[in-house]
Amino acid sequence: SEFSKNCNVFYGENGSGKTNILESISLFGKGKGLRNDHIKNMIKVSEKKFINTCEFLSFSQAYKIQVVAEKYQNRYIKKISFNEDVHKETLEYLNSLITFIIFLPDMERLFLTNPSYRRNFIDRFIFSKNKNYNTLINKYKKNVTERNKLLLKKFYDEVWLKKLEEDISFLGIEIYKLRSLQVEMLQKHLNFLNENNKLPFAINIKYLDKFYNSKIDIEFYKSSLETTRDVDKFTGGAKYGPHRSDIMCYVNQDFSADQLSTGQQKTIVLLLILAQCNYLVNECHLNPVILMDEICSHLDANNRSVLLKLSQEFDFQIFMTGTEKNF
């Protein structure tokens, strides 16, 4: 079917398949899609695989993208082709053209849930610009897990442990820097939008981490990991690192976002998305595709205003779902 190049709205009862449409679209980009789910969970029970095909237009040039779920060594993987080409260079070009910004219903509780959810929220923004970011995160997690397994052994290779801690330090600092830069960019564009559009309230976003500062280096990080080996052995993970960070927003200098109403918290999330879009379009020259699932709830005047800005002020495609026709 033909979609509008601007705003597309799907409405229907819960369980009618609206989210499945958004998820199928999201799979044309790099990664596991809208819900970051396992590929095997996206295959219909009676089927052995799925095939999604779309026509993607960029700068008046049409491309054919196909996504297939295939079984490989007892697990399902996603295989993607771009104009029937599966070479790495071709897929990297595709990833440079297409990026998604996602809103899910549970993001309304972004400031009430645990810090890992807020880290993932920021990480999705970083990934929308930097498609290698997930690889960095996965390498970091793998090394922290490997270090913890080593510490639990009665006898371990000290040289190997130091090598792991060096890798963790290098990767950790990279993640810290990218997150810190992302927060700075969001603040810059929030300020810009506030000056030009008179947003409902001024927002200050802060990256919270007791260990990190801009002057941290690998040697200090390594020595910190070395001094916490005994603690980390019993608690698991690592006492220090970007997996301990948090992100919080404050309104008008005083109130943290978790003290606001659900509608106001949703406004902040939508404004962060708006700021990220402003950054991608005006600084990165990327036009993201916006996927917003079950956007109808808590749609006060402020939230409607932000949605209108997203749909009218930028030249990109939006897909929204809701339960009500009058939406």
Side-chain angles (χ1 to χ4, degrees):
S1 61
E2 289 284 330
F3 294 129
S4 164
K5 67 177 183 178
N6 301 119
C7 192
N8 301 271
V9 179
F10 305 101
Y11 64 89
E13 296 179 0
N14 290 325
S16 60
K18 303 184 301 294
T19 304
N20 288 347
I21 296 173
L22 297 192
E23 187 161 51
S24 67
I25 294 169
S26 70
L27 287 173
F28 293 115
K30 189 177 180 181
K32 294 181 181 178
L34 185 81
R35 291 179 282 202
N36 200 31
D37 200 357
H38 294 293
I39 298 299
K40 68 176 182 179
N41 296 336
M42 301 178 197
I43 302 172
K44 199 173 180 180
V45 175
S46 58
E47 302 294 335
K48 293 183 178 179
K49 66 178 181 179
F50 66 71
I51 300 174
N52 290 353
T53 306
C54 82
E55 184 178 71
F56 176 66
L57 288 124
S58 178
F59 300 107
S60 302
Q61 177 71 43
Y63 304 96
K64 180 184 176 183
I65 310 175
Q66 187 172 82
V67 177
V68 181
E70 285 190 0
K71 200 166 188 178
Y72 176 74
Q73 295 182 348
N74 294 320
R75 68 186 184 97
Y76 282 96
I77 60 170
K78 184 183 91 170
K79 293 194 74 173
I80 191 163
S81 65
F82 189 46
N83 280 350
E84 300 182 352
D85 191 339
V86 296
H87 289 96
K88 183 180 177 182
E89 295 78 11
T90 305
L91 298 182
E92 284 178 355
Y93 177 63
L94 168 63
N95 291 330
S96 73
L97 293 178
I98 188 168
T99 193
F100 294 100
I101 296 291
I102 291 168
F103 174 90
L104 298 173
D106 51 5
M107 287 179 182
E108 292 182 4
R109 296 179 55 80
L110 178 67
F111 303 106
L112 299 176
T113 188
N114 58 54
S116 67
Y117 195 89
R118 289 186 285 278
R119 289 194 296 270
N120 290 338
F121 180 82
I122 290 294
D123 286 346
R124 274 188 187 252
F125 279 175
I126 298 171
F127 181 71
S128 70
K129 169 66 170 64
N130 181 353
K131 293 302 191 300
N132 295 317
Y133 182 66
N134 276 16
T135 305
L136 182 67
I137 291 285
N138 291 335
K139 280 183 181 177
Y140 173 79
K141 289 178 179 177
K142 183 181 177 182
N143 282 325
V144 170
T145 302
E146 187 68 26
R147 173 179 177 265
N148 196 242
K149 286 179 181 177
L150 206 60
L151 289 172
L152 289 171
K153 292 182 178 180
K154 192 171 183 180
F155 302 103
Y156 55 75
D157 185 340
E158 180 77 19
V159 175
W160 176 235
L161 181 59
K162 286 189 174 183
K163 176 67 171 67
L164 280 173
E165 289 176 343
E166 183 176 21
D167 290 346
I168 289 168
S169 301
F170 176 78
L171 295 166
I173 288 173
E174 282 299 301
I175 294 167
Y176 272 135
K177 285 179 178 176
L178 287 168
R179 283 187 183 158
S180 183
L181 183 62
Q182 176 63 50
V183 168
E184 284 178 25
M185 283 298 170
L186 283 174
Q187 189 64 65
K188 172 185 171 182
H189 287 273
L190 283 169
N191 293 344
F192 173 80
L193 291 166
N194 195 41
E195 289 167 7
N196 290 275
N197 295 300
K198 296 182 179 178
L199 301 183
F201 31 70
I203 300 168
N204 290 308
I205 178 169
K206 293 184 180 178
Y207 186 50
L208 308 173
D209 192 289
K210 293 178 180 178
F211 178 66
Y212 175 69
N213 63 69
S214 59
K215 295 177 182 177
I216 194 171
D217 62 19
I218 288 178
E219 290 305 316
F220 177 75
Y221 202 136
K222 279 164 56 181
S223 65
S224 299
L225 288 173
E226 194 172 335
T227 58
T228 58
R229 285 176 184 175
D230 290 339
V231 175
D232 295 341
K233 177 180 177 180
F234 292 103
T235 59
K239 183 178 179 180
Y240 301 120
H243 60 286
R244 301 287 187 186
S245 303
D246 198 1
I247 294 97
M248 185 52 68
C249 286
Y250 299 87
V251 172
N252 299 331
Q253 302 289 339
D254 300 317
F255 298 101
S256 61
D258 58 354
Q259 297 177 311
L260 303 176
S261 70
T262 307
Q264 288 173 315
Q265 290 184 45
K266 183 169 186 172
T267 302
I268 294 174
V269 173
L270 291 176
L271 289 174
L272 290 172
I273 289 173
L274 184 65
Q276 178 67 4
C277 288
N278 203 61
Y279 164 59
L280 290 176
V281 170
N282 293 314
E283 287 197 35
C284 308
H285 308 294
L286 276 171
N287 282 4
V289 176
I290 314 298
L291 305 175
M292 296 187 145
D293 193 28
E294 297 296 347
I295 196 70
C296 293
S297 65
H298 305 109
L299 271 187
D300 56 23
N302 286 334
N303 293 333
R304 282 192 172 89
S305 173
V306 179
L307 283 175
L308 282 172
K309 286 181 192 301
L310 274 169
S311 62
Q312 293 176 352
E313 293 190 11
F314 294 105
D315 181 25
F316 52 47
Q317 196 172 33
I318 303 179
F319 295 89
M320 303 184 193
T321 73
T323 53
E324 302 169 23
K325 184 176 180 179
N326 64 8
F327 172 56

